[in-house]
């Protein structure tokens, strides 16, 4: 990651490298110039050395001639050596232009030396006059040497003039370059610094804007920062937070909705409980009234009516109590008989009820109020439309692990489509049903209770009556299936 | 705003960068080369031409010829000398050349004791050959190897013949010469006098014109006073010819006079072109330069030993003035 620290380091690095480069260049150039100056100065100093040495030699020669001792002789020799060294050095200064002059110069030094030697020799031979003449000669040559030195200086200056002017121009150029470099570096630094500060402040600015948006409650806009440093990291974290907050808000909203729905359904539940309680009160009142009526009928001697009322009351009680419980097949059959007694009272001779019970099948469990709606159907469709000789068969058989319950009438029967519709619950219960529980309801309950589909079979054809067969598995103990 | 700042900075950078690159280039690529220090491998012969009159076109031509020959011979040659016949300086130059042990000296002869001393003793002790050029010195007095230049005696004769052919065989001629006549001038005078012997009708007077301009002017005036019927002036020294003519023209017409001189000065060709001079004897300075160097090299290379001590004569010819004669 490109961190801010790295950026600062880079900026500093660039500055240091630039300064170092400039320093190196200037140093290199200064060194070069210095070398040149040294060379030039060296040339002049070497030339001067010759004339200086020759003059010294003359002085020493004079000293020797006036006082020829070991000491003065040594001194003279030393100065002569110095002159010869200078002469040798002069040869290094030759170039195309001054070759002629320098050769002359060198030869002149030689001549000078020879003259000095001669003078010393004459002095040794005590020929003082000749020695003095040679001394004068040497002195003159020394003067020529000095003059020639000057003229060499002169020609040197002429030869090197362009070069010297170049050096001057160069140093001026160098000054210009220095100023230009300085300004270029300054501007470059300004540019770098500006870009660098921008790379820090721009993301911060963007982040601030995003934060403002969040503060105003707009959590849906993603936070974007064009950067790749710590601020970008901050922005990502910030964005993450924004997403989380957004999620939380949505969750809270959902919860609130669920809550309100729950409240509503609670209210509905209370209402329905109320209704239920009310509806319980009414049948009990009815039930008690029926019992009272039965007693009254009995006291009045209408025993048959009294029995009928007892049946009705029992049926009613059974209806009220046992809707959500399992009962034995026996109990169910009992209720059925009671119901049929009531129906018999209603239809008298028009109804013939035949019942066949297999005792071994009576102990198994089954949902309550399943047979009553079926027999009611049989009565309504089989007996009611008929003038006479209406028959209903009710059989309970125990066959190979299943309890078979058959309810058969000799009514008008039904065709295939009707049969199918009946099984799928497509027909609404007709008015007049006592319990209001339709055929489909029964079929459904039985299927749910036993967990299988093939519980109910209908055998019927138009004009040939209807036979409903329940094939119930044997179930002994079921607490409560609802 | 941001873009503007960046743009301004960038363009500044570009401009400065451009100039900086130019400047750096200039600094980096400027010539630091010192003049060639390499010296030609073998030692070349070093020859010095020394003259007393470096300022005259005559000697420039001598130098030209000598330089040309030197280039051909592949030797080093330098022209030294003094200006305006500064004898002291001239002798010093000769002495320096001797002490410098040059291989050969080509010198304008000077008929003085010091010059002869130098050429005879010093040159001999250093073993340096000396050739005189343009002006000779008497052979017996110097140890010069040879002389290269005009035959001055012949030149004098030539000029006099010209005068006679221009003027006729009778008349008065004034010969103007400096106080200290050079060897060459003496030869010229001698030549002219020899020639005049053939013409008894022509009378000649020698006038000492001194050595300065004023003295020359005075001498001219005096000559005009003493010899009112003079027909011709011959200036042995061309430097004085100008002065003579000026003096004549300040007094009377210049035209009727025949004025002649010898060419070895600066004024001659100009005066000739203006038509004031009626004729001069022209020498061949270039030839002198060439020949002297060639002879010196022959001597140094032992090709011609010994050189003809009588000298090697270069061409001379009469050049007449433009405006014709009176």
């Amino acid at each position: 990651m490109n961190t801010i620290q790295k950026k600062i380091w880079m900026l500093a690095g660039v500055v240091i490298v630039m300064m170092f480069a400039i320093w190196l260049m200037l140093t290199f150039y200064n060194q070069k110039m210095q070398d040149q100056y040294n060379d030039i100065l060296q040339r002049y100093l070497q030339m001067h050395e010759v004339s200086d040495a020759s003059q010294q030699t003359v002085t020493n020669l004079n000293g020797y001639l006036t006082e020829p001792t070991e000491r003065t002789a040594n001194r003279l020799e030393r100065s002569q050596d110095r002159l010869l060294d200078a002469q040798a050095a002069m040869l290094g200064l030759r170039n195309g232009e001054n070759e002629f002059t320098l050769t002359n110069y060198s030869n002149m030094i030689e001549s000078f030396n020879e003259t000095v030697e001669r003078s010393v020799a004459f002095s040794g031979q005590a020929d003082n006059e000749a020695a003095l003449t040679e001394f004068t000669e040497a002195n003159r040559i020394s003067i020529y040497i000095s003059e020639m030195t000057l003229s060499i200086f002169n020609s040197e200056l002429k030869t090197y003039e362009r070069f010297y002017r170049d050096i001057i121009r160069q140093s001026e150029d160098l000054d210009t370059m220095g100023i230009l470099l300085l300004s270029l570096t300054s501007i470059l630094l300004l540019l770098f610094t500006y870009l660098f500060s921008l790379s820090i402040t721009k993301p911060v600015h963007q982040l601030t804007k995003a934060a403002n948006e969040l503060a105003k409650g707009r959590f849906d806009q993603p936070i974007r920062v064009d950067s790749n440093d710590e601020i970008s990291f901050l922005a990502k974290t910030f964005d993450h937070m924004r997403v989380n907050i957004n999620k939380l808000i949505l969750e809270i909203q959902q919860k609130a909705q669920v809550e309100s729905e729950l409240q509503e359904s609670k209210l509905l539940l209370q209402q329905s409980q109320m209704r239920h309680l009310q509806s319980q009160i009414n049948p009990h009142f009815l039930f008690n009234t029926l019992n009272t009526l039965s007693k009254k009928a009995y006291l009045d001697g209408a025993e048959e009516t009294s029995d009928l009322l007892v049946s009705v009351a029992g049926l009613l009680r059974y209806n009220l109590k046992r809707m959500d419980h399992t009962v034995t097949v026996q109990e169910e059959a009992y209720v059925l008989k009671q119901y049929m007694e009531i129906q018999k009272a209603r239809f008298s001779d028009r109804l013939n009820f035949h019942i066949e019970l297999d005792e071994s099948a009576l102990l198994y469990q089954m949902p309550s109020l399943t047979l009553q709606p079926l027999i009611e159907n049989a009565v309504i469709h089989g007996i009611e439309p008929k003038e006479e000789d209406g028959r209903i068969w009710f059989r309970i058989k125990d066959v190979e692990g299943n309890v078979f319950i058959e309810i058969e009438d000799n009514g008008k029967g039904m065709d295939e489509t009707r049969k199918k519709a009946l099984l799928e619950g497509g027909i609404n219960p007709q008015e007049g049903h006592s319990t209001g529980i339709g055929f489909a309801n029964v079929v459904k309950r039985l299927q749910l209770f036993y967990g299988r589909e093939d519980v109910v079979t209908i055998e019927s054809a138009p004009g040939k009556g209807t036979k409903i067969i329940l094939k119930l598995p044997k179930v002994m103990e079921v607490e409560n299936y609802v | 705003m941001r873009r503007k700042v960046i743009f301004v900075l960038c363009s500044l950078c570009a401009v400065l960068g451009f100039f900086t690159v130019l400047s750096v280039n200039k600094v980096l690529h400027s010539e630091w080369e010192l003049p060639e220090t390499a010296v030609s491998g073998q030692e070349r012969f070093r020859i010095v031409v020394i003259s007393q009159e470096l300022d005259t076109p005559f000697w420039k031509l001598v130098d030209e010829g000598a330089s040309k020959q030197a280039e051909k011979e592949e030797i080093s040659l330098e022209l030294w000398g003094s200006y305006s016949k500064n004898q002291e300086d001239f002798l010093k130059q000769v002495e320096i050349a001797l002490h410098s042990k040059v291989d050969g000296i080509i010198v304008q002869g000077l008929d003085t004791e010091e010059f002869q001393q130098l050429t005879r003793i010093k040159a001999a002790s250093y073993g340096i050959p000396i050739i005189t050029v343009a002006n000779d010195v008497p052979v017996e007095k110097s140890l010069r190897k040879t002389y290269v230049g005009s035959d001055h005696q012949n030149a004098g004769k030539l000029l006099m013949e010209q005068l006679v052919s221009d003027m006729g065989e009778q008349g008065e001629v004034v010969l103007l010469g400096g106080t200290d006549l050079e060897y060459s001038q003496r030869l010229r005078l001698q030549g002219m006098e020899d020639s005049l012997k053939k013409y008894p009708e022509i009378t000649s007077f020698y006038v000492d014109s001194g050595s300065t301009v004023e003295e020359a002017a005075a001498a001219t005036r005096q000559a005009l006073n003493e010899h009112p019927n003079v027909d011709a002036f011959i200036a042995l020294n061309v430097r004085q010819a100008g002065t003579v003519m000026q003096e004549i023209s300040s007094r009377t017409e210049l035209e009727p006079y025949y004025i002649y001189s010898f060419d070895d000065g600066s004024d001659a060709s100009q005066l000739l072109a203006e038509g004031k001079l009626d004729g001069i004897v022209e020498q061949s300075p270039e030839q002198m330069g060439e020949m002297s160097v060639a002879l010196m090299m022959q001597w140094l290379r032992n090709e011609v030993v010994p050189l003809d001590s009588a000298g090697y004569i270069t061409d001379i010819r009469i050049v007449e003035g433009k405006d014709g004669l009176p």
Side-chain angles (χ1 to χ4, degrees), chain B residues 14-239:
Chain B
V15 170
L16 279 174
F18 175 71
F19 282 113
T20 308
V21 165
L22 276 190
S23 169
V24 166
N25 248 353
K26 208 163 148 194
V27 169
L28 286 181
H29 291 107
S30 60
E31 290 162 27
W32 276 95
E33 296 304 309
L34 282 162
E36 278 292 311
T37 46
V39 180
S40 51
Q42 79 270 31
E43 287 281 310
R44 298 169 115 196
F45 283 111
R46 292 174 301 121
I47 288 177
V48 186
V49 178
I50 306 173
S51 147
Q52 302 174 56
E53 303 161 293
L54 282 179
D55 44 348
T56 59
F58 181 89
W59 277 96
K60 270 184 198 132
L61 290 172
V62 173
D63 182 37
E64 244 168 61
S67 298
K68 215 189 289 168
Q69 186 64 28
E71 210 162 296
K72 231 185 277 171
E73 304 266 6
E74 291 184 345
I75 55 166
S76 305
L77 180 126
E78 277 197 3
L79 179 68
W80 293 4
S82 63
Y83 291 92
S84 304
K85 297 213 167 177
N86 182 338
Q87 284 196 10
E88 201 182 315
D89 200 17
F90 168 73
L91 288 172
K92 188 169 124 190
Q93 297 283 355
V94 176
E95 199 177 348
I96 287 174
L98 288 170
H99 285 308
S100 300
K101 298 179 180 174
V102 292
D103 296 298
I105 298 176
I106 296 168
V107 69
Q108 181 179 12
L110 178 65
D111 190 16
T112 62
E113 190 63 34
E114 292 93 339
F115 182 79
Q116 281 155 19
Q117 185 87 5
L118 274 178
T119 50
R120 230 180 17 225
I121 298 169
K122 277 264 172 66
S125 78
Y126 282 118
I128 297 170
I130 290 178
I131 292 178
T132 50
V133 69
N135 297 35
D136 199 6
V137 288
V139 186
E140 62 279 2
K141 287 188 196 164
S142 76
L143 282 175
R144 64 159 175 78
K145 291 295 169 224
T146 187
Y147 162 73
V148 177
S150 318
D151 182 348
H152 294 294
Q153 201 168 344
N154 196 24
K157 281 180 192 163
L158 205 63
L159 189 68
M160 198 48 77
E161 309 273 292
Q162 181 67 31
L163 172 66
V164 170
S165 75
D166 286 345
M167 184 180 72
E169 290 190 5
Q170 60 176 32
E172 286 184 16
V173 178
V174 170
L175 306 175
L176 280 160
T179 315
D180 293 319
L181 281 183
E182 282 173 26
Y183 183 58
S184 58
Q185 289 171 340
R186 265 183 276 144
L187 288 176
R188 284 175 190 161
L189 190 60
Q190 198 184 328
M192 286 192 281
E193 278 163 357
D194 285 350
S195 192
L196 278 176
K197 281 173 191 159
K198 287 188 274 179
Y199 308 105
E201 306 289 314
I202 298 177
T203 49
S204 69
F205 313 95
Y206 180 78
V207 176
D208 184 350
S209 60
S211 51
T212 63
V213 176
E214 288 78 23
E215 282 171 339
T220 313
R221 278 199 298 276
Q222 195 189 340
L224 284 170
N225 288 339
E226 288 174 8
H227 315 286
N229 298 323
V230 73
D231 296 303
F233 285 92
I234 296 176
L236 286 174
N237 188 345
V238 80
R239 288 168 194 278

Side-chain angles (χ1 to χ4, degrees), chain A residues 29 32-33 36 94-96 99-100 104 107 110-111 114 137 140-141 144 147 160 170 177 198, chain B residues 2 23 27-28 30 32 34-37 39-40 46 76 78 80 92 95 99-101 122 126:
Chain A
Y29 256 85
K32 206 173 155 188
M33 274 197 170
Q36 295 287 349
R94 290 203 294 186
N95 60 36
E99 188 181 2
F100 192 101
N104 287 352
N107 287 341
E110 238 167 66
S111 305
E114 283 160 13
E137 178 87 12
R140 209 162 57 239
I141 299 178
Y144 293 158
E147 278 177 14
Y160 283 76
Q170 177 111 30
M177 191 187 79
L198 213 61
Chain B
R2 199 173 293 158
S23 169
V27 169
L28 286 181
S30 60
W32 276 95
L34 282 162
E36 278 292 311
T37 46
V39 180
S40 51
R46 292 174 301 121
S76 305
E78 277 197 3
W80 293 4
K92 188 169 124 190
E95 199 177 348
H99 285 308
S100 300
K101 298 179 180 174
K122 277 264 172 66
Y126 282 118

Side-chain angles (χ1 to χ4, degrees), chain A residues 205-341:
Chain A
H205 190 65
Q206 283 176 330
L207 200 61
T208 313
K209 230 161 100 183
N212 273 338
E213 290 289 311
L214 283 194
K216 279 178 197 160
R218 280 176 218 154
F219 288 95
D220 49 347
Q221 285 175 344
I223 297 165
R224 277 202 203 87
V225 170
D226 320 326
S227 156
N228 50 358
D229 51 19
E230 284 94 336
I231 291 178
S232 144
F233 179 71
L234 196 63
K236 269 180 206 152
T237 317
F238 205 45
D239 197 42
H240 196 64
M241 186 187 87
R242 180 193 65 82
V243 169
N244 279 347
I245 288 175
N246 223 359
K247 226 187 266 171
L248 277 175
I249 288 174
L250 277 178
E251 263 171 37
I252 288 169
Q253 277 174 348
Q254 269 172 353
K255 257 184 198 164
Q257 204 177 351
V258 167
E259 200 110 309
S260 74
E261 276 170 14
L262 200 68
Q263 207 69 27
E264 213 170 299
S265 49
K266 246 184 194 169
L267 214 65
L268 280 174
L269 191 70
Q270 275 175 350
Q271 276 178 354
S272 68
Q273 268 176 344
M274 194 77 141
R275 240 180 255 149
H276 185 236
L277 284 173
Q278 274 178 343
S279 68
Q280 268 180 339
I281 290 166
N282 287 343
H284 276 98
F285 167 71
L286 207 62
F287 174 69
N288 291 340
T289 309
L290 279 174
N291 272 340
T292 313
L293 281 177
S294 156
K295 294 238 171 80
K296 181 82 172 95
Y298 187 79
L299 286 177
D300 287 353
E303 285 175 6
E304 206 173 329
T305 310
S306 172
D307 287 345
L308 207 55
L309 284 171
V310 168
S311 291
V312 171
L315 199 61
L316 190 60
R317 189 166 51 206
Y318 187 81
N319 263 2
L320 291 172
K321 267 186 185 170
R322 300 296 171 89
M323 197 59 179
D324 49 355
H325 285 82
T326 55
V327 292
T328 56
V329 176
Q330 191 173 22
E331 277 174 307
E332 189 71 7
Y334 175 72
V335 170
L336 191 77
K337 273 189 231 163
Q338 274 191 324
Y339 177 74
M340 280 317 290
E341 264 169 41

